[in-house]
Amino acid sequence: MRVNLKFLGEVYVTLLVIVDPPGMVPVFLALTGAMPPRQRMKAGTQAVLLALGVIVGFAVAGQTLLDYLHVQLPALQGAGGLLLVLVALQLLTGKADETDQQGGTTNVALVPIGTPLLAGPGAIVATMLFVRRADGLAEYAVIGIGILLVMLTVWLVLRFSGGIVKLLRPAGIEVLTRIAGLLLAAIAVQLIADAVDAFVELYTAAYSG
């Protein structure tokens, strides 16, 4: 069974650009900066494993699940945007720090880092489109390898981002938290805007047809 390297490269580069590991670093550090190094590493691993599971799950049965629930992809996108708005508000107002002190830091690895930041609507939709294009078992395997390579890259980036915490110190982490909150708010607004735009196009096409 030959590996289609061109297709593998397309899957890897597309998903890597969507997931954007360097762009994840400020948000990851803002949400995990108060954790001990070992716990931060564990959070990064949990986030990557969850993202891998979500993306693979949607690759295998995503369209079937959405059809069964009568949910369209723009709705998934809008839901991800609303979730990020809540997290962004926590970061901007300092409420995330209070959550950390109450022992809720392990949850940030799952939401919002694992999903919808790593396994967000963009990565899910791209993966589902690649699955539709795949022709035969060999290309399905290529998609799987591409997803694994992307998640490995993300894990390595998060794994070695801990050194930045030592440079920033608590004051720097606090500033980074506010900046990350602003960035998350912008991402959330963009997701919601894209979802609204997709719904408008969808219903315009339906009524015009």
Side-chain angles (χ1 to χ4, degrees), residues 31-206:
L31 292 169
T32 63
M35 294 182 183
R38 184 174 293 181
Q39 195 175 354
R40 188 185 311 113
M41 212 184 310
K42 181 181 177 183
T45 302
Q46 287 177 336
V48 169
L49 289 175
L50 175 66
L52 177 63
V54 170
I55 291 175
V56 170
F58 271 94
V60 174
Q63 194 59 59
T64 304
L65 178 63
L66 292 180
D67 290 343
Y68 177 76
L69 295 174
H70 304 290
V71 173
Q72 295 172 331
L73 287 174
L76 190 65
Q77 197 167 9
L82 290 174
L83 181 59
L84 288 185
V85 166
L86 296 176
V87 177
L89 289 174
Q90 286 185 338
L91 292 176
L92 288 169
T93 59
K95 295 287 180 63
D97 298 335
E98 296 174 12
T99 305
D100 291 350
Q101 292 171 3
Q102 294 168 5
T105 49
T106 52
N107 294 330
V108 301
L110 308 179
V111 178
I113 299 173
T115 182
L117 287 176
L118 292 179
I124 289 170
V125 172
T127 304
M128 289 170 66
L129 290 176
F130 280 127
V131 170
R132 286 183 190 176
R133 280 178 47 194
D135 183 20
L137 185 61
E139 292 196 347
Y140 288 128
V142 166
I143 294 171
I145 293 169
I147 294 171
L148 285 173
L149 289 176
V150 169
M151 289 297 117
L152 178 61
T153 304
V154 172
W155 182 81
L156 288 172
V157 170
L158 298 184
R159 166 70 178 79
F160 292 105
S161 64
I164 302 174
V165 175
K166 296 178 182 177
L167 296 174
L168 292 177
R169 300 183 182 275
I173 290 293
E174 187 174 348
V175 172
L176 186 65
T177 299
R178 303 298 181 261
I179 295 172
L182 186 61
L183 292 174
L184 267 187
I187 294 170
V189 170
Q190 187 63 56
L191 279 174
I192 294 170
D194 290 345
V196 171
D197 187 52
F199 269 123
V200 170
E201 285 186 15
L202 200 64
Y203 285 108
T204 301

